[in-house]
Amino acid sequence: MRRLLLHTAGTAAICLLAPLAGLRAQVAAVSPQAVVESRQAEYEEAKARSEAARLAAARVRDEWSQLLEQHAAASRAGDRDRVRELLAVFQERSPEKSRLEQAWRSSQELWREAGQELVAAIDDYLEKLWPATEQSVGAAEYENALYNELFSTLRRVESELPEVPLELEPMPEVTIRPGDTPGEILYKARLMENRVRYYASLAAELDQKIEVLAQRQRREQNRRDFMTSHERFGDGVVPIGNERRELSDPASAPAVPIEVRIGQYRELREEVEMRMLELSRKAEEFRGRTGGGQ
Amino acid sequence: MRIDGVARFGLPGLFVLATASPLAGQGIVQDLVISGGMAGEAWRGDFVSFVIPQVDSTNQAVAWVGEWSANGIFNLARREQSSLDAIVDVGFRQFAPGGFQLRRYSPREYNALLTARYHRDVADGRGGALVAEATARKHGIDDRPPMPLYLPPGYRSYRLKAGYETTLAGSRASLTVTGESADYGAPVLLPYLDLLDRRSAVVEAAGTRRSYRSPDSGEYSEVRFFGSYRYHTYPRQGLEGVFRVDHAVGLGGGYELSAGRMDLGVSLDGTRSWSNSRRVEYHAGRLGVQMQLWKVWREFGLSVASDLAVKRYRHQSEEYAPVPGEEADNGAALYAEITRSVARNMDAAFRLGWQRVETSFTGAYYTRFGGGFFLRVRPTR
């Protein structure tokens, strides 16, 4: 308790006096707690901005969908005037829609960055706290409490952060134009081969991620299977009375279940595989057109 | 014994519908496992249970057991701050016993369980979490055999549970309230089973402190303490309109460790029970140990669970006066399972189980020992 009070008083004094001396930035750089607090404020602000941008983009997208429906109805009814009128509205609103969608994507990016910075700051703080907490269960109470609180924040932030989109960039369409020289065709073939190599490394990385998650999943499933199998028919229930059913912890379940994450990675892996095959086939075809040159 | 139509066909039907639904392809099925297997079991002893009126002169019995079961977790709704899951478990077990003198029995057990679980974070998780759970369970048995082949009687139960968990000074604190009703639905020829009907209310408060071994390894140790108050009424146990009412207070603790390839859990709890019927007042204690070892040898995993329970009546009588459904004083059980993955979506398991239950007063007991082989298929893996 005494350490807690001293720590709080010290931090408060630093925060109050530092701006007067123009030293706050330097102090923040040396005090991990101040860094965490400042990054957390930035993170909350970025999160709120992203949410506002999402709502704005969603509103415009809803209006856009309604316009599309109206356009389809007008086309079906053969109402050319209405179709022309709607096309003009599309043209007028298109820049606004693009701007808001771009703003939302950017705000998500900023939110992710703020989150990563906060996670890094917490990690750094945890690392500094770790020697104090690892000594024993009876280590300094304040450090233990702070450690657990920071760790909870870390898990919350990690679960809140928008997922990095699990999708690939659109695949460029590479074709042979009428005036292409054999050298240009070969160059295009090499470009595609480079892309295949990139996809191969991405596939290997995805395989590794899937493997790690699958191992964790199997461990959890084995444990659940074992407990369920001997509880299912009440084999453990004997005529002794005093049956104490274990009350489940309202413990936090992961925001995205492990099964869903594995599914997302598998889908991406399949797409990568498909692109590799397609690009390899095309590169081979291009090389064939040049007479198999290197 | 009559098997309730809803439990026999309704829940399995719901399960089949849920898995065959087009939603299965949209990530609603979090986990689905179908398992089947065979086991050989042996029972021995002279234990007498009030609620098994069938008698046979043998003290030994053996049985081959065939088992099918399915278990699934379905994400019905998942949002940023809340989730709604359904857990469905159905099972069927057929026994082919031998060793009885009077006739050949052919017990069949059915089990169906449906749980709906709602979880909601309060104030983005900083204010804690609320959990509400509703469970309906039906356990049925046809052609229940005499002792020593002890199989629990059939019943249906309904349970409602609400809990709140928050973080206090770096530890998790939770308060859970549970209400349960169990009805043993005795047929005309077995009225004793009605004695087991029970209504319960349980309040439990727990504190858990978890220490991570390092920030990103997922390895941890956890200490948990809890206290509970339990209220039970037995509306069919009593005389002249006065029914048995029990109050029990429990205290306990547990330790969990997850390190490397091992998960270990140890729990110990004690209970003191009061009743308006002096002869059923007791002290009881229970020790449980669970351990899982992953890749203990090559790809083999080992799981072990053991339980030791002891009960002592506070007012000893000169005469042996067993309480229905609570005839035993001591019980011990040990289960072990060796598992190995045999295909991408299939695991094989070899299970061994041992159990001994006894009374202190007369020394009567029964033991159960068996082993079996099971295959578990996960179609969605």
PDB file of all heavy atoms in Angstrom, chain B residues 113-139:
ATOM      1  N   LEU B 113     -28.438 -33.349 -23.692  1.00  0.00           N
ATOM      2  CA  LEU B 113     -28.195 -32.109 -22.949  1.00  0.00           C
ATOM      3  C   LEU B 113     -28.206 -30.940 -23.920  1.00  0.00           C
ATOM      4  O   LEU B 113     -27.639 -31.024 -25.013  1.00  0.00           O
ATOM      5  CB  LEU B 113     -26.850 -32.197 -22.241  1.00  0.00           C
ATOM      6  CG  LEU B 113     -26.367 -30.933 -21.529  1.00  0.00           C
ATOM      7  CD1 LEU B 113     -25.746 -31.296 -20.197  1.00  0.00           C
ATOM      8  CD2 LEU B 113     -25.344 -30.190 -22.361  1.00  0.00           C
ATOM      9  N   LEU B 114     -28.860 -29.890 -23.518  1.00  0.00           N
ATOM     10  CA  LEU B 114     -28.873 -28.677 -24.334  1.00  0.00           C
ATOM     11  C   LEU B 114     -28.606 -27.490 -23.418  1.00  0.00           C
ATOM     12  O   LEU B 114     -29.319 -27.294 -22.433  1.00  0.00           O
ATOM     13  CB  LEU B 114     -30.229 -28.518 -25.025  1.00  0.00           C
ATOM     14  CG  LEU B 114     -30.432 -27.243 -25.841  1.00  0.00           C
ATOM     15  CD1 LEU B 114     -29.480 -27.209 -27.031  1.00  0.00           C
ATOM     16  CD2 LEU B 114     -31.868 -27.154 -26.326  1.00  0.00           C
ATOM     17  N   THR B 115     -27.571 -26.742 -23.717  1.00  0.00           N
ATOM     18  CA  THR B 115     -27.239 -25.561 -22.913  1.00  0.00           C
ATOM     19  C   THR B 115     -27.192 -24.339 -23.826  1.00  0.00           C
ATOM     20  O   THR B 115     -26.577 -24.391 -24.893  1.00  0.00           O
ATOM     21  CB  THR B 115     -25.864 -25.726 -22.235  1.00  0.00           C
ATOM     22  OG1 THR B 115     -25.935 -26.801 -21.309  1.00  0.00           O
ATOM     23  CG2 THR B 115     -25.457 -24.475 -21.473  1.00  0.00           C
ATOM     24  N   ALA B 116     -27.824 -23.289 -23.390  1.00  0.00           N
ATOM     25  CA  ALA B 116     -27.709 -22.009 -24.097  1.00  0.00           C
ATOM     26  C   ALA B 116     -26.930 -21.084 -23.181  1.00  0.00           C
ATOM     27  O   ALA B 116     -27.243 -20.971 -21.987  1.00  0.00           O
ATOM     28  CB  ALA B 116     -29.076 -21.429 -24.384  1.00  0.00           C
ATOM     29  N   ARG B 117     -25.895 -20.450 -23.727  1.00  0.00           N
ATOM     30  CA  ARG B 117     -25.003 -19.644 -22.879  1.00  0.00           C
ATOM     31  C   ARG B 117     -24.836 -18.259 -23.486  1.00  0.00           C
ATOM     32  O   ARG B 117     -24.466 -18.119 -24.652  1.00  0.00           O
ATOM     33  CB  ARG B 117     -23.644 -20.334 -22.799  1.00  0.00           C
ATOM     34  CG  ARG B 117     -22.716 -19.733 -21.789  1.00  0.00           C
ATOM     35  CD  ARG B 117     -21.538 -20.678 -21.579  1.00  0.00           C
ATOM     36  NE  ARG B 117     -20.841 -20.351 -20.367  1.00  0.00           N
ATOM     37  CZ  ARG B 117     -19.702 -19.670 -20.328  1.00  0.00           C
ATOM     38  NH1 ARG B 117     -19.149 -19.256 -21.445  1.00  0.00           N
ATOM     39  NH2 ARG B 117     -19.108 -19.417 -19.181  1.00  0.00           N
ATOM     40  N   TYR B 118     -25.154 -17.258 -22.678  1.00  0.00           N
ATOM     41  CA  TYR B 118     -25.039 -15.875 -23.143  1.00  0.00           C
ATOM     42  C   TYR B 118     -23.939 -15.189 -22.340  1.00  0.00           C
ATOM     43  O   TYR B 118     -23.908 -15.273 -21.112  1.00  0.00           O
ATOM     44  CB  TYR B 118     -26.378 -15.159 -22.944  1.00  0.00           C
ATOM     45  CG  TYR B 118     -26.343 -13.706 -23.339  1.00  0.00           C
ATOM     46  CD1 TYR B 118     -26.277 -13.337 -24.680  1.00  0.00           C
ATOM     47  CD2 TYR B 118     -26.374 -12.696 -22.381  1.00  0.00           C
ATOM     48  CE1 TYR B 118     -26.235 -12.001 -25.051  1.00  0.00           C
ATOM     49  CE2 TYR B 118     -26.343 -11.365 -22.742  1.00  0.00           C
ATOM     50  CZ  TYR B 118     -26.272 -11.018 -24.077  1.00  0.00           C
ATOM     51  OH  TYR B 118     -26.219  -9.700 -24.435  1.00  0.00           O
ATOM     52  N   HIS B 119     -23.056 -14.517 -23.041  1.00  0.00           N
ATOM     53  CA  HIS B 119     -21.924 -13.846 -22.396  1.00  0.00           C
ATOM     54  C   HIS B 119     -21.924 -12.386 -22.850  1.00  0.00           C
ATOM     55  O   HIS B 119     -22.043 -12.116 -24.037  1.00  0.00           O
ATOM     56  CB  HIS B 119     -20.639 -14.546 -22.832  1.00  0.00           C
ATOM     57  CG  HIS B 119     -19.386 -13.908 -22.313  1.00  0.00           C
ATOM     58  ND1 HIS B 119     -18.550 -14.538 -21.426  1.00  0.00           N
ATOM     59  CD2 HIS B 119     -18.830 -12.707 -22.550  1.00  0.00           C
ATOM     60  CE1 HIS B 119     -17.544 -13.738 -21.145  1.00  0.00           C
ATOM     61  NE2 HIS B 119     -17.691 -12.625 -21.829  1.00  0.00           N
ATOM     62  N   ARG B 120     -21.803 -11.473 -21.916  1.00  0.00           N
ATOM     63  CA  ARG B 120     -21.765 -10.067 -22.315  1.00  0.00           C
ATOM     64  C   ARG B 120     -20.717  -9.314 -21.501  1.00  0.00           C
ATOM     65  O   ARG B 120     -20.695  -9.394 -20.271  1.00  0.00           O
ATOM     66  CB  ARG B 120     -23.132  -9.433 -22.096  1.00  0.00           C
ATOM     67  CG  ARG B 120     -23.154  -7.985 -22.521  1.00  0.00           C
ATOM     68  CD  ARG B 120     -24.546  -7.395 -22.536  1.00  0.00           C
ATOM     69  NE  ARG B 120     -24.478  -6.101 -23.201  1.00  0.00           N
ATOM     70  CZ  ARG B 120     -24.558  -5.921 -24.496  1.00  0.00           C
ATOM     71  NH1 ARG B 120     -24.742  -6.938 -25.278  1.00  0.00           N
ATOM     72  NH2 ARG B 120     -24.454  -4.711 -25.018  1.00  0.00           N
ATOM     73  N   ASP B 121     -19.848  -8.604 -22.195  1.00  0.00           N
ATOM     74  CA  ASP B 121     -18.874  -7.754 -21.512  1.00  0.00           C
ATOM     75  C   ASP B 121     -19.576  -6.504 -21.028  1.00  0.00           C
ATOM     76  O   ASP B 121     -20.430  -5.960 -21.725  1.00  0.00           O
ATOM     77  CB  ASP B 121     -17.756  -7.347 -22.482  1.00  0.00           C
ATOM     78  CG  ASP B 121     -16.830  -8.511 -22.779  1.00  0.00           C
ATOM     79  OD1 ASP B 121     -16.830  -9.465 -21.980  1.00  0.00           O
ATOM     80  OD2 ASP B 121     -16.130  -8.463 -23.796  1.00  0.00           O
ATOM     81  N   VAL B 122     -19.207  -6.045 -19.859  1.00  0.00           N
ATOM     82  CA  VAL B 122     -19.789  -4.815 -19.326  1.00  0.00           C
ATOM     83  C   VAL B 122     -18.750  -3.715 -19.479  1.00  0.00           C
ATOM     84  O   VAL B 122     -17.587  -3.900 -19.094  1.00  0.00           O
ATOM     85  CB  VAL B 122     -20.169  -4.992 -17.834  1.00  0.00           C
ATOM     86  CG1 VAL B 122     -20.742  -3.708 -17.267  1.00  0.00           C
ATOM     87  CG2 VAL B 122     -21.164  -6.127 -17.682  1.00  0.00           C
ATOM     88  N   ALA B 123     -19.157  -2.599 -20.052  1.00  0.00           N
ATOM     89  CA  ALA B 123     -18.259  -1.452 -20.270  1.00  0.00           C
ATOM     90  C   ALA B 123     -16.977  -1.898 -20.969  1.00  0.00           C
ATOM     91  O   ALA B 123     -15.881  -1.756 -20.439  1.00  0.00           O
ATOM     92  CB  ALA B 123     -17.947  -0.748 -18.948  1.00  0.00           C
ATOM     93  N   ASP B 124     -17.125  -2.487 -22.153  1.00  0.00           N
ATOM     94  CA  ASP B 124     -15.984  -2.928 -22.970  1.00  0.00           C
ATOM     95  C   ASP B 124     -15.106  -3.934 -22.234  1.00  0.00           C
ATOM     96  O   ASP B 124     -13.907  -4.023 -22.483  1.00  0.00           O
ATOM     97  CB  ASP B 124     -15.107  -1.735 -23.398  1.00  0.00           C
ATOM     98  CG  ASP B 124     -15.819  -0.854 -24.389  1.00  0.00           C
ATOM     99  OD1 ASP B 124     -16.837  -1.322 -24.931  1.00  0.00           O
ATOM    100  OD2 ASP B 124     -15.365   0.270 -24.606  1.00  0.00           O
ATOM    101  N   GLY B 125     -15.652  -4.676 -21.314  1.00  0.00           N
ATOM    102  CA  GLY B 125     -14.853  -5.671 -20.599  1.00  0.00           C
ATOM    103  C   GLY B 125     -14.158  -5.098 -19.377  1.00  0.00           C
ATOM    104  O   GLY B 125     -13.705  -5.845 -18.528  1.00  0.00           O
ATOM    105  N   ARG B 126     -14.112  -3.747 -19.285  1.00  0.00           N
ATOM    106  CA  ARG B 126     -13.440  -3.160 -18.116  1.00  0.00           C
ATOM    107  C   ARG B 126     -14.331  -3.256 -16.882  1.00  0.00           C
ATOM    108  O   ARG B 126     -13.874  -3.225 -15.768  1.00  0.00           O
ATOM    109  CB  ARG B 126     -13.073  -1.708 -18.398  1.00  0.00           C
ATOM    110  CG  ARG B 126     -11.834  -1.577 -19.244  1.00  0.00           C
ATOM    111  CD  ARG B 126     -11.674  -0.187 -19.764  1.00  0.00           C
ATOM    112  NE  ARG B 126     -12.729   0.124 -20.728  1.00  0.00           N
ATOM    113  CZ  ARG B 126     -12.806   1.233 -21.423  1.00  0.00           C
ATOM    114  NH1 ARG B 126     -11.909   2.164 -21.270  1.00  0.00           N
ATOM    115  NH2 ARG B 126     -13.781   1.442 -22.281  1.00  0.00           N
ATOM    116  N   GLY B 127     -15.662  -3.338 -17.127  1.00  0.00           N
ATOM    117  CA  GLY B 127     -16.596  -3.447 -16.005  1.00  0.00           C
ATOM    118  C   GLY B 127     -16.887  -4.885 -15.629  1.00  0.00           C
ATOM    119  O   GLY B 127     -17.703  -5.136 -14.774  1.00  0.00           O
ATOM    120  N   GLY B 128     -16.257  -5.843 -16.296  1.00  0.00           N
ATOM    121  CA  GLY B 128     -16.489  -7.248 -15.987  1.00  0.00           C
ATOM    122  C   GLY B 128     -17.299  -7.920 -17.072  1.00  0.00           C
ATOM    123  O   GLY B 128     -17.448  -7.413 -18.180  1.00  0.00           O
ATOM    124  N   ALA B 129     -17.820  -9.079 -16.744  1.00  0.00           N
ATOM    125  CA  ALA B 129     -18.593  -9.844 -17.725  1.00  0.00           C
ATOM    126  C   ALA B 129     -19.781 -10.505 -17.048  1.00  0.00           C
ATOM    127  O   ALA B 129     -19.698 -10.918 -15.893  1.00  0.00           O
ATOM    128  CB  ALA B 129     -17.706 -10.905 -18.370  1.00  0.00           C
ATOM    129  N   LEU B 130     -20.880 -10.560 -17.773  1.00  0.00           N
ATOM    130  CA  LEU B 130     -22.083 -11.222 -17.286  1.00  0.00           C
ATOM    131  C   LEU B 130     -22.282 -12.508 -18.069  1.00  0.00           C
ATOM    132  O   LEU B 130     -22.080 -12.525 -19.281  1.00  0.00           O
ATOM    133  CB  LEU B 130     -23.304 -10.338 -17.536  1.00  0.00           C
ATOM    134  CG  LEU B 130     -23.567  -9.194 -16.568  1.00  0.00           C
ATOM    135  CD1 LEU B 130     -24.625  -8.279 -17.139  1.00  0.00           C
ATOM    136  CD2 LEU B 130     -24.035  -9.740 -15.224  1.00  0.00           C
ATOM    137  N   VAL B 131     -22.671 -13.555 -17.363  1.00  0.00           N
ATOM    138  CA  VAL B 131     -22.937 -14.816 -18.051  1.00  0.00           C
ATOM    139  C   VAL B 131     -24.289 -15.351 -17.580  1.00  0.00           C
ATOM    140  O   VAL B 131     -24.571 -15.349 -16.389  1.00  0.00           O
ATOM    141  CB  VAL B 131     -21.844 -15.865 -17.745  1.00  0.00           C
ATOM    142  CG1 VAL B 131     -22.256 -17.222 -18.280  1.00  0.00           C
ATOM    143  CG2 VAL B 131     -20.534 -15.469 -18.368  1.00  0.00           C
ATOM    144  N   ALA B 132     -25.119 -15.744 -18.515  1.00  0.00           N
ATOM    145  CA  ALA B 132     -26.393 -16.385 -18.161  1.00  0.00           C
ATOM    146  C   ALA B 132     -26.458 -17.707 -18.910  1.00  0.00           C
ATOM    147  O   ALA B 132     -26.040 -17.788 -20.065  1.00  0.00           O
ATOM    148  CB  ALA B 132     -27.556 -15.490 -18.544  1.00  0.00           C
ATOM    149  N   GLU B 133     -26.935 -18.719 -18.238  1.00  0.00           N
ATOM    150  CA  GLU B 133     -26.898 -20.051 -18.834  1.00  0.00           C
ATOM    151  C   GLU B 133     -28.181 -20.804 -18.495  1.00  0.00           C
ATOM    152  O   GLU B 133     -28.648 -20.746 -17.363  1.00  0.00           O
ATOM    153  CB  GLU B 133     -25.693 -20.784 -18.237  1.00  0.00           C
ATOM    154  CG  GLU B 133     -25.114 -21.849 -19.120  1.00  0.00           C
ATOM    155  CD  GLU B 133     -23.846 -22.419 -18.500  1.00  0.00           C
ATOM    156  OE1 GLU B 133     -22.789 -21.807 -18.651  1.00  0.00           O
ATOM    157  OE2 GLU B 133     -23.946 -23.478 -17.858  1.00  0.00           O
ATOM    158  N   ALA B 134     -28.737 -21.475 -19.465  1.00  0.00           N
ATOM    159  CA  ALA B 134     -29.921 -22.323 -19.215  1.00  0.00           C
ATOM    160  C   ALA B 134     -29.613 -23.713 -19.744  1.00  0.00           C
ATOM    161  O   ALA B 134     -29.133 -23.858 -20.868  1.00  0.00           O
ATOM    162  CB  ALA B 134     -31.135 -21.753 -19.920  1.00  0.00           C
ATOM    163  N   THR B 135     -29.853 -24.717 -18.919  1.00  0.00           N
ATOM    164  CA  THR B 135     -29.514 -26.087 -19.312  1.00  0.00           C
ATOM    165  C   THR B 135     -30.698 -27.019 -19.076  1.00  0.00           C
ATOM    166  O   THR B 135     -31.331 -26.965 -18.027  1.00  0.00           O
ATOM    167  CB  THR B 135     -28.311 -26.599 -18.477  1.00  0.00           C
ATOM    168  OG1 THR B 135     -27.199 -25.756 -18.726  1.00  0.00           O
ATOM    169  CG2 THR B 135     -27.945 -28.031 -18.852  1.00  0.00           C
ATOM    170  N   ALA B 136     -30.980 -27.840 -20.062  1.00  0.00           N
ATOM    171  CA  ALA B 136     -31.982 -28.910 -19.896  1.00  0.00           C
ATOM    172  C   ALA B 136     -31.263 -30.221 -20.150  1.00  0.00           C
ATOM    173  O   ALA B 136     -30.494 -30.331 -21.107  1.00  0.00           O
ATOM    174  CB  ALA B 136     -33.114 -28.723 -20.886  1.00  0.00           C
ATOM    175  N   ARG B 137     -31.464 -31.180 -19.280  1.00  0.00           N
ATOM    176  CA  ARG B 137     -30.783 -32.464 -19.434  1.00  0.00           C
ATOM    177  C   ARG B 137     -31.778 -33.604 -19.221  1.00  0.00           C
ATOM    178  O   ARG B 137     -32.646 -33.513 -18.351  1.00  0.00           O
ATOM    179  CB  ARG B 137     -29.657 -32.588 -18.404  1.00  0.00           C
ATOM    180  CG  ARG B 137     -28.914 -33.925 -18.468  1.00  0.00           C
ATOM    181  CD  ARG B 137     -28.051 -34.108 -17.251  1.00  0.00           C
ATOM    182  NE  ARG B 137     -26.821 -33.357 -17.300  1.00  0.00           N
ATOM    183  CZ  ARG B 137     -25.665 -33.805 -17.791  1.00  0.00           C
ATOM    184  NH1 ARG B 137     -25.605 -35.019 -18.271  1.00  0.00           N
ATOM    185  NH2 ARG B 137     -24.592 -33.055 -17.787  1.00  0.00           N
ATOM    186  N   LYS B 138     -31.656 -34.625 -20.025  1.00  0.00           N
ATOM    187  CA  LYS B 138     -32.476 -35.812 -19.840  1.00  0.00           C
ATOM    188  C   LYS B 138     -31.568 -37.028 -19.863  1.00  0.00           C
ATOM    189  O   LYS B 138     -30.784 -37.214 -20.803  1.00  0.00           O
ATOM    190  CB  LYS B 138     -33.504 -35.901 -20.970  1.00  0.00           C
ATOM    191  CG  LYS B 138     -34.241 -37.205 -21.043  1.00  0.00           C
ATOM    192  CD  LYS B 138     -35.217 -37.397 -19.910  1.00  0.00           C
ATOM    193  CE  LYS B 138     -35.829 -38.798 -19.934  1.00  0.00           C
ATOM    194  NZ  LYS B 138     -36.637 -39.075 -18.755  1.00  0.00           N
ATOM    195  N   HIS B 139     -31.632 -37.807 -18.804  1.00  0.00           N
ATOM    196  CA  HIS B 139     -30.866 -39.045 -18.763  1.00  0.00           C
ATOM    197  C   HIS B 139     -31.880 -40.164 -18.600  1.00  0.00           C
ATOM    198  O   HIS B 139     -32.693 -40.151 -17.672  1.00  0.00           O
ATOM    199  CB  HIS B 139     -29.881 -39.018 -17.586  1.00  0.00           C
ATOM    200  CG  HIS B 139     -29.128 -40.298 -17.418  1.00  0.00           C
ATOM    201  ND1 HIS B 139     -29.253 -41.091 -16.322  1.00  0.00           N
ATOM    202  CD2 HIS B 139     -28.271 -40.932 -18.237  1.00  0.00           C
ATOM    203  CE1 HIS B 139     -28.482 -42.162 -16.450  1.00  0.00           C
ATOM    204  NE2 HIS B 139     -27.881 -42.087 -17.615  1.00  0.00           N
TER     205      HIS B 139
END
